[in-house]
Amino acid sequence: MRNKILFFEYFVDALIRKNNYKTDTFTAPNLIRLLFLTVGLYSTDENKYLTEIFNKFAAKPFGPVEEDVCEFIAADILSKYSITNSSCKIKNDNISIDLDNYSKQVVDDAVNLLLEKNPNILYYQPTHLVDIVQKWSCWGICYDVALTNGNFNIIIPPKMIRNSVKYYM
């Protein structure tokens, strides 16, 4: 679990660097959607690394959310950031995220790919990001199954994410 926290904090770091070190456009709802888009877009059957780390995306009414990450945010257990539904604030700027160089490079490459596909995505409102993630077939299929079973929460298999039609606009 600690590794997933480090990956998520480094992911937030990478987004903030790409956003000219500004945190004001980031909130829990858009960070959670950006995480799904970044992981999903980057991941393939040959490149499973991020879907092995972020492996608990659930099909929820407003799109896929990584359940562990939502718990980290709600419990405010991140070391460097305090993230709410309305803000992302640096709570300790002196924290160095202890993630190995390979993992950092994977996250950086994934964020770069997302921004290459859609350079404006960091400025999208959460509702626009919801519209995008709800286009993904993995979410649609799993959410339909969840509704059929009377449930609003079903884990999307990582293989489905990797093989889904990928949207980013």
Side-chain angles (χ1 to χ4, degrees):
M1 200 63 76
R2 175 81 182 127
N3 207 28
K4 191 179 282 192
I5 293 171
L6 292 173
F7 267 85
F8 180 69
E9 290 210 86
Y10 188 79
F11 167 74
V12 174
D13 252 11
L15 292 179
I16 290 170
R17 283 194 311 274
K18 294 295 182 178
N19 196 37
N20 296 317
Y21 296 90
K22 295 178 189 166
T23 62
D24 58 346
T25 60
F26 299 119
T27 63
N30 63 353
L31 286 170
I32 289 165
R33 271 74 185 183
L34 288 167
L35 177 65
F36 174 78
L37 290 168
T38 302
V39 169
L41 187 60
Y42 188 75
S43 299
T44 65
D45 280 337
E46 294 76 36
N47 188 5
K48 302 175 183 180
Y49 193 55
L50 290 178
T51 54
E52 289 172 347
I53 300 295
F54 298 107
N55 57 358
K56 285 184 70 179
F57 281 104
K60 302 266 189 169
F62 294 106
V65 298
E66 219 289 346
E67 290 194 323
D68 291 335
V69 169
C70 288
E71 289 177 25
F72 304 155
I73 291 170
D76 195 25
I77 62 170
L78 301 175
S79 299
K80 188 169 183 175
Y81 298 101
S82 179
I83 300 168
T84 67
N85 283 338
S86 59
S87 70
C88 172
K89 297 190 184 325
I90 298 171
K91 65 178 167 184
N92 189 343
D93 204 14
N94 297 323
I95 295 286
S96 177
I97 297 168
D98 188 26
L99 199 60
D100 64 273
N101 288 335
Y102 174 76
S103 298
K104 287 179 179 179
Q105 189 62 56
V106 169
V107 173
D108 288 337
D109 290 349
V111 168
N112 287 338
L113 178 62
L114 178 66
L115 294 175
E116 179 183 304
K117 298 289 185 182
N118 185 341
N120 298 313
I121 201 160
L122 298 185
Y123 310 107
Y124 284 10
Q125 293 297 314
T127 53
H128 192 173
L129 294 172
V130 168
D131 291 343
I132 295 170
V133 298
Q134 287 182 340
K135 293 178 186 176
W136 285 58
S137 57
C138 60
W139 175 82
I141 292 166
C142 289
Y143 189 64
D144 285 347
V145 169
L147 289 177
T148 301
N149 293 334
N151 191 349
F152 290 100
N153 184 6
I154 188 170
I155 297 296
I156 303 169
K159 184 173 181 68
M160 282 184 78
I161 295 170
R162 293 190 300 268
N163 293 316
S164 188
V165 177
K166 300 173 188 248
Y167 293 90
Y168 43 85
M169 296 188 119

